[in-house]
Amino acid sequence: ILSNNRLKLFSPSLLQINNLTELSLSNNKLTELPEQLGDLRNVVCLYVSHNMLQSLPRTIGRLTKLRVLDIRYNNMKVLPDSMSELCSLERLQAYCNELERLPEGIGSCSRLKVLRISSNRLASLPVSLGNLALLETLDVHNNKLNHLPDCVCELTGLIELHVGDNDISYFNENISGMTKLQTLKANSNGLQCLPTFIDSIKNLRYLHIRNNNIRTLPETMNNLEHLQVFDAKNNPIHFPPREVWERGLSAIKAYFEEIKRSGSSRSSRLKITVLGAESCGKTSFIHCLTKNCVPEKVQPTIGIEVTRWIPVEDPNMAFILWDHSGNPMYDSTHQFFFSPGSLVFLVSTWRSTSTMILLRITRVWGSSSRCYVSLVGRVSYR
């Protein structure tokens, strides 16, 4: 053990100890490790945290008996690809460095159980990460992730997941397969919602989502029987009411239980009807709305086309879009699609008086049906 000695150079004499199993060089001033480090074949634990290392020697892969590697608090930007050869590695602590990527072969470290890579500069994670079937703890908080990668959701044996202080705006449905997960920390992201399928993570005990943009909590939270700690401070939550969720988990569960008992519910399935004259751009408008881009070519709508749309920004919301043909023969049927609380978009090219007539008719039907009508103008530059 040579920690806390202000060492600036690696002592060559250490390379002569063939039966060395643990090497601790933490809290020194080392700037590099020798390539000969790979000759210490019996090393099981290697501690080199709190130094000034910028890299690891490529021969690190020769340490096939290595179980613990601690390289915290250094200046490393990349790790050598040879790390994929560390077949016995169980614990890797590499947080508080300057890592911009992980080795693509990290998934070959098949015995890895704990991976802590927080406080780096990671904008993505290698696909092979999903091969770590024995991984129980993954800590990637304080990086540059803008979404939760699919490879993380493939870690079905994961027990702890820390993804706070990134830029993740939503959880995709693949996270529902992480049934062994007990701790999920996602503080200080851009989360817009907590998904309804959160109850698929049946063993969840600790859920931390403070400092996000979450406005609603799903009623399915009541199905999380093992949940013990729920931290949602500093979110603009309006459902359940603030006076309920600020009182804690027991109050939230009691509120949802009362909703279930009383038979009342909160619908997040919304109906959108799109009307307009022939060739005015109704289908293109729907494409822009759901795909966030302008289509190159569209086919005219025949009759009515129904599309189901779930925005990635809020998977709790579901929209049913009704695209009506502009053929005048269908005009008389429009009134049957006006339902309370629905939204009607009237698309216009601003070129014909028929649009204004249809707008007046739509307003009459809309007001009597208590739905909302919005006029969408399409401008052509010719």
Side-chain angles (χ1 to χ4, degrees):
I1 298 177
L2 296 172
S3 299
N4 301 295
N5 279 288
R6 298 184 179 180
L7 297 176
K8 294 183 179 180
L9 298 174
F10 185 93
S11 175
S13 62
L14 293 173
L15 301 172
Q16 307 303 318
I17 309 175
N18 295 326
N19 59 349
L20 188 65
T21 59
E22 182 174 324
L23 179 56
S24 181
L25 294 165
S26 298
N27 291 288
N28 282 292
K29 296 185 178 181
L30 298 174
T31 57
E32 63 178 354
L33 297 175
E35 289 292 330
Q36 292 88 341
L37 184 70
D39 295 334
L40 298 175
R41 303 296 181 91
N42 292 310
V43 170
V44 175
C45 300
L46 177 59
Y47 304 96
V48 291
S49 69
H50 295 84
N51 278 284
M52 295 182 286
L53 299 172
Q54 296 185 3
S55 63
L56 290 174
R58 290 173 295 177
T59 56
I60 191 76
R62 298 178 188 173
L63 305 182
T64 54
K65 294 183 180 180
L66 191 66
R67 294 182 183 177
V68 178
L69 177 58
D70 185 354
I71 55 174
R72 298 169 294 147
Y73 292 95
N74 279 286
N75 302 319
M76 299 186 191
K77 293 185 178 181
V78 295
L79 298 177
D81 293 335
S82 59
M83 285 191 62
S84 62
E85 301 169 20
L86 298 176
C87 55
S88 299
L89 191 64
E90 297 179 358
R91 187 182 188 93
L92 173 59
Q93 300 198 143
Y95 54 87
C96 294
N97 276 280
E98 299 176 11
L99 295 175
E100 297 177 351
R101 67 175 181 87
L102 293 180
E104 289 295 329
I106 190 71
S108 297
C109 301
S110 57
R111 296 187 182 181
L112 200 59
K113 295 181 180 179
V114 177
L115 178 57
R116 298 190 181 277
I117 47 177
S118 61
S119 298
N120 280 287
R121 300 177 180 178
L122 300 170
S124 62
L125 298 175
V127 175
S128 69
L129 190 74
N131 298 332
L132 300 175
L134 299 182
L135 196 66
E136 297 178 349
T137 299
L138 175 62
D139 186 352
V140 292
H141 85 266
N142 194 23
N143 276 284
K144 297 183 177 182
L145 300 175
N146 59 19
H147 69 286
L148 190 64
D150 290 339
C151 61
V152 174
C153 299
E154 294 170 4
L155 300 170
T156 55
L158 211 60
I159 296 175
E160 293 185 32
L161 176 60
H162 304 259
V163 293
D165 294 282
N166 280 284
D167 195 25
I168 299 172
S169 59
Y170 67 96
F171 289 127
N172 62 39
E173 198 165 356
N174 292 342
I175 199 174
S176 61
M178 305 174 73
T179 56
K180 294 184 179 180
L181 196 65
Q182 296 181 14
T183 300
L184 175 57
K185 293 186 176 181
N187 298 327
S188 302
N189 275 282
L191 289 174
Q192 302 294 319
C193 69
L194 197 62
T196 55
F197 48 78
I198 191 70
D199 62 334
S200 300
I201 312 177
K202 300 185 181 299
N203 288 301
L204 197 60
R205 287 167 168 76
Y206 308 97
L207 179 57
H208 300 261
I209 53 172
R210 64 163 60 193
N211 299 323
N212 280 288
N213 296 317
I214 295 173
R215 291 172 170 78
T216 64
L217 299 179
E219 296 176 30
T220 50
M221 275 187 62
N222 228 30
N223 300 328
L224 295 172
E225 298 178 357
H226 301 290
L227 192 61
Q228 300 172 12
V229 176
F230 177 63
D231 183 1
K233 294 178 181 178
N234 299 326
N235 277 283
I237 298 173
H238 59 77
F239 179 80
R242 176 179 290 274
E243 58 269 22
V244 172
W245 66 264
E246 281 191 340
R247 288 165 54 196
L249 185 59
S250 59
I252 295 172
K253 287 192 172 185
Y255 181 84
F256 285 146
E257 189 61 36
E258 178 60 24
I259 287 180
K260 182 179 179 181
R261 186 193 63 79
S262 63
S264 60
S265 63
R266 180 176 180 275
S267 175
S268 59
R269 178 174 171 175
L270 305 177
K271 177 181 177 182
I272 296 178
T273 298
V274 182
L275 303 176
E278 287 183 296
S279 303
C280 68
K282 298 184 298 299
T283 304
S284 295
F285 168 70
I286 290 177
H287 192 281
C288 291
L289 185 65
T290 58
K291 306 294 184 182
N292 200 29
C293 65
V294 178
E296 295 183 1
K297 186 178 181 180
V298 295
Q299 296 295 326
T301 302
I302 300 176
I304 301 173
E305 292 186 3
V306 181
T307 304
R308 187 170 185 264
W309 172 45
I310 300 179
V312 295
E313 295 84 0
D314 189 349
N316 289 333
M317 302 291 287
F319 293 91
I320 306 299
L321 294 100
W322 298 73
D323 183 6
H324 291 251
S325 170
N327 193 315
M329 66 180 292
Y330 294 104
D331 289 353
S332 61
T333 67
H334 291 168
Q335 58 183 307
F336 301 114
F337 294 90
F338 287 53
S339 55
S342 66
L343 176 61
V344 177
F345 284 111
L346 177 58
V347 182
S348 169
T349 57
W350 305 106
R351 288 184 300 187
S352 65
T353 55
S354 61
T355 296
M356 303 310 298
I357 296 173
L358 185 57
L359 176 59
R360 288 198 294 271
I361 296 174
T362 301
R363 281 175 173 170
V364 173
W365 287 338
S367 60
S368 62
S369 303
R370 301 193 308 278
C371 64
Y372 303 91
V373 179
S374 179
L375 184 62
V376 178
R378 174 189 169 194
V379 179
S380 298
Y381 297 94
R382 295 182 179 178

